[in-house]
Amino acid sequence: MPTSKYRGRFRSPTSPGVFFVVQSSQRQSIRAISDGSSVLSTVRRPGAHRAYLRAVSQQTTVVRLQGFLFFGTITHVEDALRALLAEPAWRRTPIRFLVLDLASVAGVDMSAAEAFVRVRRLLAGRAVVLVLCGFGVESGVGRALGNVGLLDMPGVELFATFSDAIECEFAQCDLRALSWELMLIRSLC
């Protein structure tokens, strides 16, 4: 009976691909989930504005993603985002902005990009704005998300950096606060 030096080893052209999927799907794609109160604005504002922003920051959820997002890792991300919109969580803390920080994401495959489109549809049902940041439109991540039409969907905002995204959301909060104050003043006059 002939023996082979490869006996007991699995050799196949698909072995490296299977190994990659198994190894990568065991990594956590979500680095952190936090509300907006843990993210401080770097812009100096009057005390009344800071107090208002502290209250409104509870309506912002920040999800920082990492690694390569593909069919093996995106299910965990999609499940976590769906949990934020589920009825019990929504009653406790409804959100207005969902900020996805993709700065530490190495790449996105087509199935992960399609998952973000599904998430956007769920967010639209709750009138939540999807804020994407941490990548350029011409990057691999930007092209993948652009190919499925996510970047052109209504209710999706894109920023180059996390700081830009947060400042814009806080600026929108400032505008809402200002319009609320103007309505209050007009009602008193």
Side-chain angles (χ1 to χ4, degrees):
M1 180 162 129
T3 60
S4 170
K5 67 178 181 177
Y6 297 111
R7 191 171 136 206
R9 295 183 184 166
F10 179 69
R11 296 274 183 187
S12 167
T14 59
S15 295
V18 171
F19 182 72
F20 170 77
V21 169
V22 170
Q23 288 292 95
S24 297
S25 63
Q26 293 173 351
R27 294 186 185 142
Q28 288 290 349
S29 296
I30 299 176
R31 191 168 39 136
I33 297 179
S34 59
D35 64 14
S37 64
S38 64
V39 181
L40 301 176
S41 173
T42 57
V43 175
R44 295 179 66 106
R45 291 185 169 87
H49 286 204
R50 285 193 310 269
Y52 175 77
L53 290 177
R54 257 183 262 119
V56 172
S57 66
Q58 298 296 325
Q59 298 176 4
T60 300
T61 298
V62 177
V63 180
R64 294 179 184 258
L65 300 173
Q66 66 184 2
F68 189 81
L69 301 178
F70 69 109
F71 65 90
T73 59
I74 197 63
T75 54
H76 174 67
V77 174
E78 190 173 6
D79 290 345
L81 297 178
R82 284 178 185 271
L84 293 172
L85 301 172
E87 197 59 38
W90 186 262
R91 270 191 250 124
R92 273 192 320 273
T93 54
I95 59 174
R96 176 76 177 109
F97 299 102
L98 176 63
V99 180
L100 294 181
D101 183 4
L102 302 170
S104 297
V105 171
V108 176
D109 81 344
M110 188 61 72
S111 61
E114 287 291 340
F116 285 126
V117 171
R118 288 190 301 272
V119 166
R120 174 61 207 131
R121 289 185 189 126
L122 290 172
L123 295 172
R126 296 275 194 183
V128 177
V129 176
L130 176 61
V131 180
L132 302 170
C133 63
F135 65 93
V137 178
E138 296 301 318
S139 69
V141 172
R143 284 193 305 273
L145 297 177
N147 286 342
V148 296
L150 180 68
L151 303 180
D152 299 324
M153 293 179 91
V156 176
E157 297 179 11
L158 176 63
F159 298 93
T161 67
F162 179 72
S163 295
D164 291 345
I166 292 300
E167 285 307 319
C168 181
E169 298 319 314
F170 285 164
Q172 285 186 10
C173 291
D174 276 346
L175 289 175
R176 284 193 295 273
L178 182 60
S179 65
W180 182 79
E181 289 171 8
L182 287 175
M183 286 185 350
L184 184 62
I185 291 170
R186 287 181 185 153
S187 67
L188 295 175
C189 294

Tab-separated table of all heavy atoms in Angstrom, residues 4-45:
chain	number	residue	atom	x	y	z
A	4	SER	N	1.664	8.416	1.010
A	4	SER	CA	1.911	9.713	0.410
A	4	SER	C	2.316	10.692	1.496
A	4	SER	O	1.844	10.617	2.628
A	4	SER	CB	0.632	10.199	-0.286
A	4	SER	OG	0.772	11.539	-0.674
A	5	LYS	N	3.175	11.597	1.133
A	5	LYS	CA	3.557	12.604	2.115
A	5	LYS	C	2.418	13.598	2.390
A	5	LYS	O	2.468	14.348	3.334
A	5	LYS	CB	4.815	13.341	1.678
A	5	LYS	CG	4.644	14.195	0.448
A	5	LYS	CD	5.936	14.904	0.134
A	5	LYS	CE	5.764	15.786	-1.089
A	5	LYS	NZ	6.950	16.533	-1.369
A	6	TYR	N	1.373	13.593	1.541
A	6	TYR	CA	0.237	14.491	1.734
A	6	TYR	C	-0.926	13.814	2.453
A	6	TYR	O	-1.989	14.382	2.578
A	6	TYR	CB	-0.263	15.025	0.384
A	6	TYR	CG	0.762	15.859	-0.323
A	6	TYR	CD1	1.359	15.403	-1.485
A	6	TYR	CD2	1.133	17.093	0.182
A	6	TYR	CE1	2.305	16.168	-2.128
A	6	TYR	CE2	2.078	17.864	-0.456
A	6	TYR	CZ	2.665	17.388	-1.605
A	6	TYR	OH	3.595	18.143	-2.243
A	7	ARG	N	-0.706	12.603	2.916
A	7	ARG	CA	-1.762	11.846	3.563
A	7	ARG	C	-2.258	12.601	4.814
A	7	ARG	O	-1.477	13.072	5.616
A	7	ARG	CB	-1.248	10.490	3.971
A	7	ARG	CG	-2.335	9.567	4.389
A	7	ARG	CD	-1.778	8.205	4.562
A	7	ARG	NE	-2.356	7.691	5.810
A	7	ARG	CZ	-1.813	6.797	6.548
A	7	ARG	NH1	-0.652	6.301	6.235
A	7	ARG	NH2	-2.427	6.382	7.622
A	8	GLY	N	-3.563	12.694	4.954
A	8	GLY	CA	-4.138	13.353	6.114
A	8	GLY	C	-4.275	14.855	5.964
A	8	GLY	O	-4.809	15.524	6.828
A	9	ARG	N	-3.812	15.396	4.866
A	9	ARG	CA	-3.943	16.842	4.638
A	9	ARG	C	-4.986	17.086	3.574
A	9	ARG	O	-5.059	16.383	2.575
A	9	ARG	CB	-2.614	17.443	4.180
A	9	ARG	CG	-1.557	17.368	5.227
A	9	ARG	CD	-0.326	18.032	4.718
A	9	ARG	NE	0.742	17.882	5.699
A	9	ARG	CZ	1.998	18.117	5.447
A	9	ARG	NH1	2.363	18.513	4.258
A	9	ARG	NH2	2.900	17.965	6.373
A	10	PHE	N	-5.764	18.110	3.793
A	10	PHE	CA	-6.789	18.472	2.831
A	10	PHE	C	-6.172	19.426	1.821
A	10	PHE	O	-5.759	20.522	2.160
A	10	PHE	CB	-7.965	19.123	3.570
A	10	PHE	CG	-9.074	19.564	2.665
A	10	PHE	CD1	-9.856	18.639	2.007
A	10	PHE	CD2	-9.337	20.908	2.480
A	10	PHE	CE1	-10.882	19.035	1.176
A	10	PHE	CE2	-10.358	21.313	1.644
A	10	PHE	CZ	-11.127	20.371	1.000
A	11	ARG	N	-6.090	19.001	0.591
A	11	ARG	CA	-5.527	19.833	-0.470
A	11	ARG	C	-6.572	20.028	-1.567
A	11	ARG	O	-7.082	19.067	-2.119
A	11	ARG	CB	-4.294	19.180	-1.101
A	11	ARG	CG	-3.153	19.012	-0.173
A	11	ARG	CD	-2.351	20.268	-0.176
A	11	ARG	NE	-1.192	20.073	0.690
A	11	ARG	CZ	-0.375	21.007	1.001
A	11	ARG	NH1	-0.543	22.205	0.516
A	11	ARG	NH2	0.627	20.788	1.794
A	12	SER	N	-6.845	21.255	-1.827
A	12	SER	CA	-7.809	21.575	-2.862
A	12	SER	C	-7.569	23.020	-3.278
A	12	SER	O	-7.110	23.831	-2.482
A	12	SER	CB	-9.220	21.420	-2.298
A	12	SER	OG	-10.167	22.006	-3.156
A	13	PRO	N	-7.896	23.336	-4.513
A	13	PRO	CA	-7.747	24.739	-4.935
A	13	PRO	C	-8.643	25.693	-4.150
A	13	PRO	O	-8.363	26.872	-4.050
A	13	PRO	CB	-8.156	24.727	-6.411
A	13	PRO	CG	-8.191	23.324	-6.828
A	13	PRO	CD	-8.298	22.471	-5.607
A	14	THR	N	-9.723	25.191	-3.556
A	14	THR	CA	-10.631	26.057	-2.810
A	14	THR	C	-10.262	26.157	-1.333
A	14	THR	O	-10.875	26.920	-0.599
A	14	THR	CB	-12.081	25.553	-2.926
A	14	THR	OG1	-12.146	24.217	-2.421
A	14	THR	CG2	-12.558	25.601	-4.369
A	15	SER	N	-9.286	25.400	-0.893
A	15	SER	CA	-8.907	25.410	0.528
A	15	SER	C	-8.587	26.801	1.061
A	15	SER	O	-9.076	27.168	2.125
A	15	SER	CB	-7.722	24.481	0.784
A	15	SER	OG	-8.092	23.163	0.534
A	16	PRO	N	-7.784	27.598	0.369
A	16	PRO	CA	-7.505	28.939	0.910
A	16	PRO	C	-8.763	29.805	1.036
A	16	PRO	O	-8.908	30.553	1.990
A	16	PRO	CB	-6.534	29.545	-0.102
A	16	PRO	CG	-5.924	28.379	-0.791
A	16	PRO	CD	-6.980	27.312	-0.812
A	17	GLY	N	-9.685	29.674	0.091
A	17	GLY	CA	-10.927	30.451	0.162
A	17	GLY	C	-11.782	30.044	1.337
A	17	GLY	O	-12.331	30.882	2.046
A	18	VAL	N	-11.899	28.748	1.556
A	18	VAL	CA	-12.676	28.250	2.696
A	18	VAL	C	-12.022	28.700	3.996
A	18	VAL	O	-12.704	29.144	4.931
A	18	VAL	CB	-12.805	26.712	2.636
A	18	VAL	CG1	-13.416	26.164	3.917
A	18	VAL	CG2	-13.623	26.302	1.422
A	19	PHE	N	-10.716	28.609	4.059
A	19	PHE	CA	-9.983	29.030	5.254
A	19	PHE	C	-10.214	30.515	5.532
A	19	PHE	O	-10.462	30.915	6.661
A	19	PHE	CB	-8.490	28.741	5.084
A	19	PHE	CG	-7.672	29.106	6.270
A	19	PHE	CD1	-7.736	28.354	7.433
A	19	PHE	CD2	-6.844	30.220	6.241
A	19	PHE	CE1	-6.980	28.691	8.546
A	19	PHE	CE2	-6.091	30.570	7.346
A	19	PHE	CZ	-6.163	29.803	8.497
A	20	PHE	N	-10.177	31.357	4.481
A	20	PHE	CA	-10.415	32.794	4.633
A	20	PHE	C	-11.812	33.069	5.191
A	20	PHE	O	-11.979	33.869	6.105
A	20	PHE	CB	-10.236	33.511	3.289
A	20	PHE	CG	-10.685	34.940	3.311
A	20	PHE	CD1	-9.899	35.920	3.905
A	20	PHE	CD2	-11.894	35.323	2.748
A	20	PHE	CE1	-10.311	37.241	3.947
A	20	PHE	CE2	-12.311	36.638	2.779
A	20	PHE	CZ	-11.516	37.593	3.382
A	21	VAL	N	-12.822	32.401	4.628
A	21	VAL	CA	-14.198	32.623	5.074
A	21	VAL	C	-14.350	32.240	6.541
A	21	VAL	O	-14.932	32.982	7.341
A	21	VAL	CB	-15.200	31.846	4.189
A	21	VAL	CG1	-16.597	31.849	4.802
A	21	VAL	CG2	-15.229	32.433	2.794
A	22	VAL	N	-13.818	31.079	6.920
A	22	VAL	CA	-13.950	30.623	8.299
A	22	VAL	C	-13.229	31.573	9.253
A	22	VAL	O	-13.779	31.993	10.270
A	22	VAL	CB	-13.425	29.177	8.453
A	22	VAL	CG1	-13.338	28.778	9.909
A	22	VAL	CG2	-14.320	28.219	7.685
A	23	GLN	N	-11.999	31.936	8.925
A	23	GLN	CA	-11.226	32.824	9.795
A	23	GLN	C	-11.858	34.207	9.897
A	23	GLN	O	-11.963	34.772	10.971
A	23	GLN	CB	-9.786	32.962	9.286
A	23	GLN	CG	-8.950	31.733	9.503
A	23	GLN	CD	-8.701	31.508	10.972
A	23	GLN	OE1	-9.411	30.754	11.620
A	23	GLN	NE2	-7.706	32.164	11.502
A	24	SER	N	-12.256	34.763	8.767
A	24	SER	CA	-12.795	36.130	8.758
A	24	SER	C	-14.163	36.218	9.404
A	24	SER	O	-14.486	37.222	10.043
A	24	SER	CB	-12.878	36.655	7.329
A	24	SER	OG	-11.588	36.736	6.770
A	25	SER	N	-14.980	35.204	9.241
A	25	SER	CA	-16.326	35.274	9.811
A	25	SER	C	-16.316	35.131	11.331
A	25	SER	O	-17.298	35.446	11.986
A	25	SER	CB	-17.232	34.217	9.189
A	25	SER	OG	-16.750	32.925	9.486
A	26	GLN	N	-15.201	34.688	11.899
A	26	GLN	CA	-15.107	34.582	13.351
A	26	GLN	C	-14.685	35.899	13.996
A	26	GLN	O	-14.764	36.045	15.205
A	26	GLN	CB	-14.127	33.470	13.734
A	26	GLN	CG	-14.645	32.105	13.356
A	26	GLN	CD	-13.622	31.013	13.582
A	26	GLN	OE1	-12.459	31.281	13.870
A	26	GLN	NE2	-14.054	29.773	13.442
A	27	ARG	N	-14.237	36.853	13.207
A	27	ARG	CA	-13.848	38.163	13.730
A	27	ARG	C	-15.080	39.045	13.886
A	27	ARG	O	-16.032	38.945	13.131
A	27	ARG	CB	-12.871	38.848	12.772
A	27	ARG	CG	-11.565	38.146	12.681
A	27	ARG	CD	-10.595	38.947	11.848
A	27	ARG	NE	-9.377	38.191	11.675
A	27	ARG	CZ	-8.676	38.170	10.573
A	27	ARG	NH1	-9.065	38.876	9.538
A	27	ARG	NH2	-7.586	37.457	10.493
A	28	GLN	N	-15.006	39.929	14.845
A	28	GLN	CA	-16.090	40.880	15.059
A	28	GLN	C	-15.943	42.050	14.094
A	28	GLN	O	-14.897	42.681	14.042
A	28	GLN	CB	-16.069	41.397	16.498
A	28	GLN	CG	-16.501	40.379	17.511
A	28	GLN	CD	-17.992	40.075	17.422
A	28	GLN	OE1	-18.754	40.755	16.758
A	28	GLN	NE2	-18.389	39.022	18.101
A	29	SER	N	-16.983	42.328	13.349
A	29	SER	CA	-16.966	43.463	12.427
A	29	SER	C	-17.378	44.751	13.104
A	29	SER	O	-17.081	45.830	12.614
A	29	SER	CB	-17.901	43.197	11.253
A	29	SER	OG	-17.438	42.101	10.523
A	30	ILE	N	-18.064	44.638	14.237
A	30	ILE	CA	-18.492	45.826	14.972
A	30	ILE	C	-17.456	46.110	16.046
A	30	ILE	O	-17.268	45.322	16.963
A	30	ILE	CB	-19.882	45.628	15.597
A	30	ILE	CG1	-20.906	45.381	14.498
A	30	ILE	CG2	-20.256	46.844	16.442
A	30	ILE	CD1	-22.296	45.085	15.018
A	31	ARG	N	-16.780	47.228	15.892
A	31	ARG	CA	-15.775	47.627	16.879
A	31	ARG	C	-16.426	48.256	18.096
A	31	ARG	O	-16.014	48.028	19.221
A	31	ARG	CB	-14.786	48.602	16.233
A	31	ARG	CG	-13.567	48.873	17.071
A	31	ARG	CD	-12.498	49.600	16.299
A	31	ARG	NE	-13.041	50.612	15.411
A	31	ARG	CZ	-12.550	51.812	15.270
A	31	ARG	NH1	-11.489	52.180	15.948
A	31	ARG	NH2	-13.079	52.681	14.439
A	32	ALA	N	-17.474	49.063	17.879
A	32	ALA	CA	-18.153	49.726	18.995
A	32	ALA	C	-19.523	50.234	18.548
A	32	ALA	O	-19.717	50.606	17.393
A	32	ALA	CB	-17.331	50.901	19.505
A	33	ILE	N	-20.458	50.228	19.492
A	33	ILE	CA	-21.768	50.858	19.306
A	33	ILE	C	-21.968	51.786	20.495
A	33	ILE	O	-21.814	51.376	21.641
A	33	ILE	CB	-22.918	49.825	19.262
A	33	ILE	CG1	-22.757	48.887	18.079
A	33	ILE	CG2	-24.268	50.541	19.193
A	33	ILE	CD1	-23.839	47.819	17.991
A	34	SER	N	-22.276	53.038	20.198
A	34	SER	CA	-22.481	54.000	21.285
A	34	SER	C	-23.525	55.022	20.867
A	34	SER	O	-23.842	55.162	19.696
A	34	SER	CB	-21.168	54.700	21.645
A	34	SER	OG	-20.654	55.371	20.512
A	35	ASP	N	-24.044	55.730	21.856
A	35	ASP	CA	-24.966	56.807	21.514
A	35	ASP	C	-24.175	58.105	21.362
A	35	ASP	O	-22.994	58.163	21.664
A	35	ASP	CB	-26.097	56.942	22.534
A	35	ASP	CG	-25.616	57.328	23.919
A	35	ASP	OD1	-24.468	57.746	24.057
A	35	ASP	OD2	-26.409	57.207	24.866
A	36	GLY	N	-24.834	59.119	20.891
A	36	GLY	CA	-24.166	60.382	20.608
A	36	GLY	C	-23.623	61.101	21.824
A	36	GLY	O	-22.773	61.976	21.714
A	37	SER	N	-24.088	60.719	23.024
A	37	SER	CA	-23.609	61.415	24.229
A	37	SER	C	-22.145	61.094	24.520
A	37	SER	O	-21.479	61.854	25.212
A	37	SER	CB	-24.474	61.049	25.430
A	37	SER	OG	-24.355	59.678	25.723
A	38	SER	N	-21.650	59.994	23.996
A	38	SER	CA	-20.246	59.650	24.218
A	38	SER	C	-19.325	60.305	23.199
A	38	SER	O	-18.112	60.206	23.301
A	38	SER	CB	-20.055	58.133	24.180
A	38	SER	OG	-20.363	57.650	22.895
A	39	VAL	N	-19.907	60.971	22.212
A	39	VAL	CA	-19.138	61.656	21.180
A	39	VAL	C	-19.250	63.152	21.423
A	39	VAL	O	-20.333	63.709	21.340
A	39	VAL	CB	-19.670	61.315	19.777
A	39	VAL	CG1	-18.857	62.013	18.719
A	39	VAL	CG2	-19.673	59.821	19.561
A	40	LEU	N	-18.155	63.766	21.737
A	40	LEU	CA	-18.172	65.193	22.039
A	40	LEU	C	-17.832	66.011	20.805
A	40	LEU	O	-16.948	65.654	20.033
A	40	LEU	CB	-17.183	65.502	23.155
A	40	LEU	CG	-17.434	64.778	24.474
A	40	LEU	CD1	-16.338	65.096	25.460
A	40	LEU	CD2	-18.799	65.159	25.036
A	41	SER	N	-18.522	67.104	20.645
A	41	SER	CA	-18.246	68.028	19.557
A	41	SER	C	-17.020	68.861	19.903
A	41	SER	O	-16.803	69.222	21.056
A	41	SER	CB	-19.453	68.942	19.352
A	41	SER	OG	-19.154	69.943	18.433
A	42	THR	N	-16.237	69.166	18.894
A	42	THR	CA	-15.041	69.984	19.117
A	42	THR	C	-15.308	71.468	18.933
A	42	THR	O	-14.421	72.284	19.141
A	42	THR	CB	-13.921	69.553	18.153
A	42	THR	OG1	-14.398	69.673	16.810
A	42	THR	CG2	-13.505	68.116	18.413
A	43	VAL	N	-16.534	71.815	18.565
A	43	VAL	CA	-16.903	73.217	18.356
A	43	VAL	C	-17.359	73.816	19.683
A	43	VAL	O	-18.139	73.216	20.410
A	43	VAL	CB	-18.031	73.321	17.301
A	43	VAL	CG1	-18.505	74.762	17.158
A	43	VAL	CG2	-17.560	72.778	15.978
A	44	ARG	N	-16.841	75.009	19.991
A	44	ARG	CA	-17.255	75.705	21.221
A	44	ARG	C	-18.626	76.320	20.995
A	44	ARG	O	-18.858	77.008	20.010
A	44	ARG	CB	-16.237	76.774	21.576
A	44	ARG	CG	-14.886	76.184	21.935
A	44	ARG	CD	-13.900	77.271	22.266
A	44	ARG	NE	-14.296	77.972	23.472
A	44	ARG	CZ	-13.697	77.824	24.647
A	44	ARG	NH1	-12.685	77.016	24.755
A	44	ARG	NH2	-14.103	78.489	25.697
A	45	ARG	N	-19.527	76.064	21.960
A	45	ARG	CA	-20.889	76.559	21.852
A	45	ARG	C	-21.320	77.150	23.191
A	45	ARG	O	-20.772	76.789	24.229
A	45	ARG	CB	-21.826	75.412	21.487
A	45	ARG	CG	-21.620	74.896	20.076
A	45	ARG	CD	-22.671	73.840	19.765
A	45	ARG	NE	-22.688	73.513	18.367
A	45	ARG	CZ	-21.928	72.598	17.812
A	45	ARG	NH1	-21.084	71.910	18.527
A	45	ARG	NH2	-21.996	72.357	16.525
